Structures are given as C-alpha cells and as structure tokens.
Amino acid sequence: MGWLLRTFTGDPTLPVPDRVIRHCWTTDPFTMGAYSYPSTSSQLSDYAKLSEPLPSCEQPKLLLAGEHTHEHYWSFLHGARMAGIEQAHKIIEWEEKQRL
C-alpha cells in the first residue's frame, strides 16, 4: 500500500503505513451516506464562491474545502483532496505575503 500512497501523492518519501483506519460513512448516523450534489438552480460560479476566503482574500479567517467546493469534481473524494490542496496554497501564499 505504500507504493499506492507514494504514487497518488507524488511524494516518494512517504513511509509504509503501519495501520489503516476506515470510516464507514454509509452507516454513519450523522451522514447516512450523504454526499453533495448541485441542485437544478446551481451555477458553476457557486463553487468559486464557496472557495473564497472569508471575510476577504486580504484577511482570510475561514477557508472551506471539500468535495462540495470543487467546481469539476464535486461529490468525489479526489475533488475533496484537490480542494484542500488549493486552499492550502491560498494559506501559503497569504503567509508569504505577510513576511514581505
């Protein structure tokens, strides 16, 4: 399984996992196997809006990430991962601007 994680993340230094923890979200009483999906009134711009830092890009206090915020891969695990990486890059960029 180590090779799969290294291939998926692109990080050849990841060690072999010593255990796997799996959450069965399909039987979780809080989610009941739910996932996000756009409504018939959703617009593509809604995903960009969900990804905007709040209250603003200049003062980010809250950034949402997850499959519900990715404009192309909503309701998919890789969309959640990609959204998290995108938001992490925003945090890194903001941190670097603060150092100048």
Side-chain angles (χ1 to χ4, degrees), residues 53-56 59-63 94:
L54 295 173
S56 69
Q59 293 185 326
K61 302 287 184 193
L62 175 67
L63 287 90
W94 183 82

Side-chain angles (χ1 to χ4, degrees), residues 5 7 9 15 19-20 28-30 42-43 60 62-64 66 69 71 73 80 86 90 92:
L5 290 172
T7 301
T9 62
R19 67 178 171 260
V20 174
D28 185 320
F30 298 107
S42 294
Q43 298 178 7
L62 175 67
L63 287 90
L64 300 177
T69 65
E71 69 179 314
Y73 300 111
E86 289 168 6
K90 289 179 186 177
I92 292 167

Side-chain angles (χ1 to χ4, degrees), residues 5-11 14 65-70 73 76-89:
L5 290 172
R6 287 188 289 277
T7 301
F8 182 71
T9 62
D11 184 350
L14 283 176
E67 45 92 19
H68 65 288
T69 65
H70 200 278
Y73 300 111
F76 291 101
L77 175 63
H78 59 286
R81 180 179 180 273
M82 292 170 76
I85 291 169
E86 289 168 6
Q87 294 296 49
H89 283 296

Side-chain angles (χ1 to χ4, degrees), residues 37-52 64 68-72 74:
Y37 57 91
S39 73
T40 55
S41 61
S42 294
Q43 298 178 7
L44 194 56
S45 61
D46 294 340
Y47 294 99
K49 192 72 174 163
L50 282 170
S51 296
E52 290 178 2
L64 300 177
H68 65 288
T69 65
H70 200 278
E71 69 179 314
H72 299 294
W74 43 265

